[in-house]
Amino acid sequence: MGLFSRKKDDGGEPVVRPKHIAIIMDGNGRWAKKRGLPRLAGHKAGSETVRRVLNWCRDTDIRYLTLYAFSTENWRRPAEEVSGLMKLLEGFIEKNEAELLEKKVRLRVIGRKEDLSEDLQKAVQRLEEETASFERQLLIALSYSGRSELVYAARRIAEQVKAGTLSPDEITEGTISGNLYAPDVPDPDLIIRTSGELRISNFLLWECAYSEFYVTDVLWPDFSEKDFMDALNAYSRRNRRFGGV
Ligand code: FPP
């Protein structure tokens, strides 16, 4: 079921499910600090939440899930945290390869892939190829920022102009959308941010134009199925007008 599709739930209320959910998974560090643990323990616990969210998306028929796993700014974190996070991501791909294949989930990484280690690039590429034909998609934003995605799109468009295949006055919003990292993926209907910050943090800047926002104080490692359903239910009650009346 997708955007605007309606299903009666038990109470007879119409249910509107997002087709695409994007999540800013914040609060791993605070979760660890509260327990006197190293920050990396928070990221580890956060990657378990990722596994659970994938199941909840399957149960609720969400077609696209985008997760903000590592921003271009995150390279400035202490080297130990950066390398720990990269290992965690590599491990996630390794450990979940069979499950993604079995559950028919297409994995895609969006971001500056060239910044990743060769091993991680290879692992990503292999799994992207193996899962390319599946409809349900997990997009992981890695070395990603909305601004660098727009730079990427601008460069690609400039190349087409330079090559003479596009003229400047033919450039439309569709041209920009069509040159982003995952041009075929619809814009997110719902963006969830955990741990209470009211910021977009350079995430999906072009794509979020009409997204609904949902912020919860819950820290990412504690994000539960109830929290997920609360976000979906809040979305279902929203009245999206896309600038109309
Ligand atoms: C923000 O919390 C979170 C991150 C920078 C990393 C998110 C990564 C994961 C959940 C791990 C693995 C991801 C996948 C897709 C397997 P923070 O460190 O900024 O927390 P804080 O604001 O409390 O310090």
Side-chain angles (χ1 to χ4, degrees):
M1 183 162 52
L3 175 63
F4 299 135
S5 49
R6 284 170 181 262
K7 174 178 95 177
K8 295 276 177 189
D9 68 7
D10 292 346
E13 283 295 305
V15 173
V16 185
R17 290 275 188 251
K19 193 171 185 179
H20 182 179
I21 298 180
I23 308 184
I24 304 177
M25 310 180 287
D26 199 9
N28 294 345
R30 273 162 280 177
W31 183 92
K33 194 172 175 196
K34 264 174 46 179
R35 287 162 178 76
L37 296 169
R39 292 179 56 81
L40 218 44
H43 297 314
K44 229 180 214 168
S47 69
E48 288 307 313
T49 307
V50 169
R51 284 173 52 81
R52 292 193 287 272
V53 170
L54 276 171
N55 289 330
W56 306 333
C57 282
R58 214 162 69 106
D59 296 344
T60 50
D61 217 0
I62 305 299
R63 174 100 176 252
Y64 302 93
L65 173 68
T66 300
L67 300 174
Y68 203 4
F70 195 91
S71 74
T72 50
E73 289 85 12
N74 286 153
W75 292 110
R76 292 200 292 260
R77 292 194 175 196
E80 195 188 337
E81 184 174 346
V82 170
S83 68
L85 263 170
M86 288 298 146
K87 272 201 196 104
L88 207 55
L89 288 158
E90 237 177 286
F92 177 86
I93 288 177
E94 223 171 79
K95 277 191 225 145
N96 292 285
E97 180 165 3
E99 198 167 339
L100 292 173
L101 285 166
E102 193 212 320
K103 294 192 171 154
K104 297 197 181 335
V105 178
R106 177 175 179 185
L107 175 96
R108 296 168 89 169
V109 166
I110 55 169
R112 291 176 44 88
K113 283 180 179 162
E114 64 273 27
D115 293 343
L116 308 176
S117 73
E118 260 185 45
D119 282 353
L120 186 50
Q121 285 188 42
K122 276 189 201 145
V124 164
Q125 196 188 340
R126 198 186 62 239
L127 197 49
E128 280 185 338
E129 285 170 6
E130 282 174 344
T131 60
S133 63
F134 300 148
E135 282 190 5
R136 198 181 302 281
Q137 302 196 18
L138 167 64
L139 291 97
I140 302 185
L142 255 187
S143 195
Y144 174 91
S145 77
R147 287 187 174 183
S148 64
E149 180 172 31
L150 289 169
V151 168
Y152 169 86
R155 285 190 180 147
R156 292 188 52 185
I157 294 165
E159 289 296 342
Q160 293 157 48
V161 171
K162 193 172 150 197
T165 56
L166 181 71
S167 81
D169 54 1
E170 285 170 344
I171 295 172
T172 61
E173 291 187 8
T175 316
I176 313 268
S177 296
N179 283 280
L180 298 172
Y181 288 127
D184 52 303
V185 172
D187 291 343
D189 305 298
L190 172 65
I191 298 183
I192 299 173
R193 180 164 190 152
T194 56
S195 93
E197 311 290 351
L198 302 174
R199 281 193 295 274
I200 189 70
S201 296
N202 216 345
F203 188 43
L204 303 177
L205 294 183
W206 177 268
E207 298 91 328
C208 77
Y210 291 106
S211 304
E212 295 291 328
F213 281 89
Y214 182 87
V215 176
T216 169
D217 286 336
V218 172
L219 306 176
W220 179 247
D222 291 330
F223 189 72
S224 67
E225 187 170 13
K226 180 185 179 301
D227 299 319
F228 179 75
M229 289 313 298
D230 284 350
L232 284 196
N233 290 334
Y235 175 83
S236 186
R237 290 191 296 269
R238 304 247 179 115
N239 176 13
R240 299 181 80 200
R241 292 192 297 275
F242 295 96
V245 288

